[in-house]
Amino acid sequence: QVQLVESGGGSAQPGESLRLSCVGSGFTLVDYAIGWFRQAPGKGREEVSCVSFSDGSRSDNTSYADSVKGRFTISKDNAKNTWYLQMDSLKPEDTAVYYCDVRLGSAWYRTSTSSWGQGTQVTVSS
């Protein structure tokens, strides 16, 4: 079955950086999309960044939430079936639980199955 495991969260001060990782298994990365989402206390789940690929290599489309543009970067490592979210210039408002997800067809896996897991906590404070 599909499994997604996030890691890399923690505490940081404003202006510092963190790098989140998501290791996926139970599927092949051919034609798909990967993404990062977050949920702050008392808020709904927000799409942070998504990117689609053709045959596991060609980037077709990349998007970032306005709140993170210029600060966050999404990337992947095909050899490790892993994708990342590099978070630079962190702000207190970035504090949230972060989740990864994968879209293998028309629907995002975790969204369609309601299997979000624990995510990884990011806390930004001085």
Side-chain angles (χ1 to χ4, degrees), residues 4-9 20-21 36-37 45 96-100 110 115-122:
L4 302 170
V5 181
E6 305 97 339
S7 63
L20 307 184
S21 300
W36 287 95
F37 305 80
R45 186 168 290 108
V97 178
Y98 285 71
Y99 306 86
C100 60
R110 278 176 159 171
S115 57
W116 287 96
Q118 297 180 354
T120 185
Q121 176 72 50
V122 172

Side-chain angles (χ1 to χ4, degrees), residues 4-6 20-24 27 29 32-38 45-53 61-64 72-76 82-85 98-104 107-111 116 120:
L4 302 170
V5 181
E6 305 97 339
L20 307 184
S21 300
C22 179
V23 179
F27 57 89
L29 299 177
Y32 66 103
I34 55 175
W36 287 95
F37 305 80
R38 68 185 182 185
R45 186 168 290 108
E46 173 191 18
E47 178 183 305
V48 177
S49 181
C50 298
V51 59
S52 61
F53 297 89
N61 187 54
T62 305
S63 64
Y64 294 93
F72 291 9
T73 304
I74 189 170
S75 62
K76 70 179 180 71
T82 301
W83 52 99
Y84 307 93
L85 185 68
Y98 285 71
Y99 306 86
C100 60
D101 203 357
V102 60
R103 180 175 58 77
L104 303 177
W108 290 89
Y109 178 76
R110 278 176 159 171
T111 299
W116 287 96
T120 185

Side-chain angles (χ1 to χ4, degrees), residues 64-72:
Y64 294 93
D66 288 342
S67 59
V68 307
K69 285 182 179 178
R71 300 188 297 117
F72 291 9

